[in-house]
Amino acid sequence: MANDPLSLTFAALADPTRRALLARLAEGEATVNELAEPFPISLQAVSRHLKVLERAGLISRGREAQWRPCRLEAEPLEQASVWIGRYREQWEDRFARLDSVIRTIQDDRKKETDHE
């Protein structure tokens, strides 16, 4: 597995449980127990998911007394969004060209039916 930041981000985001954990952390900090509550999986499994997210830089863990609350770190998501955004511009250009071709075809057909 590649270890560059973007690859780690996308690998971490590939799992629906990890995406759900990030969605929960977008609402605010939470402990591992709080994060594990809605999932029908073991606390150890949630901890393994959190380690993947932490390795990707998507979360960090603080220290408050005996608690280690997790918090969302948005920068890797922003970098992924920028990367995807480059392709979005290409797709939008292609769709605009396709839309233009379709309009031309529709206009030509309308002209043909008007002359009949």
Side-chain angles (χ1 to χ4, degrees):
M1 178 197 290
N3 285 325
D4 65 280
L6 195 58
S7 295
L8 292 173
T9 297
F10 282 117
L13 294 175
D15 185 274
T17 300
R18 290 193 286 265
R19 290 193 304 270
L21 290 168
L22 290 176
R24 166 57 186 88
L25 289 171
E27 298 171 6
E29 292 184 2
T31 64
V32 175
N33 286 334
E34 291 169 335
L35 290 168
E37 283 177 12
F39 297 103
I41 57 177
S42 69
L43 199 59
Q44 290 81 12
V46 171
S47 291
R48 284 193 297 269
H49 283 299
L50 292 173
K51 284 180 184 174
V52 172
L53 293 170
E54 192 171 20
R55 182 169 177 249
L58 291 163
I59 68 167
S60 62
R61 296 184 198 211
R63 186 171 295 279
E64 294 176 20
Q66 73 258 25
W67 307 107
R68 295 197 64 205
C70 299
R71 70 179 59 87
L72 178 68
E73 298 294 340
E75 188 174 334
L77 293 174
E78 291 169 9
Q79 292 171 352
S81 178
V82 167
W83 186 83
I84 291 171
R86 284 186 279 162
Y87 295 98
R88 182 181 307 124
E89 291 172 8
Q90 290 180 359
W91 299 330
E92 288 172 354
D93 288 345
R94 290 177 183 169
F95 285 132
R97 286 190 307 234
L98 178 61
D99 193 38
S100 175
V101 169
I102 290 171
R103 263 191 255 122
T104 301
I105 292 170
Q106 288 173 335
D107 289 346
D108 290 347
R109 285 186 179 168
K110 186 175 179 186
K111 289 176 187 171
E112 288 175 12
T113 56
D114 288 345
H115 290 324
E116 289 178 353

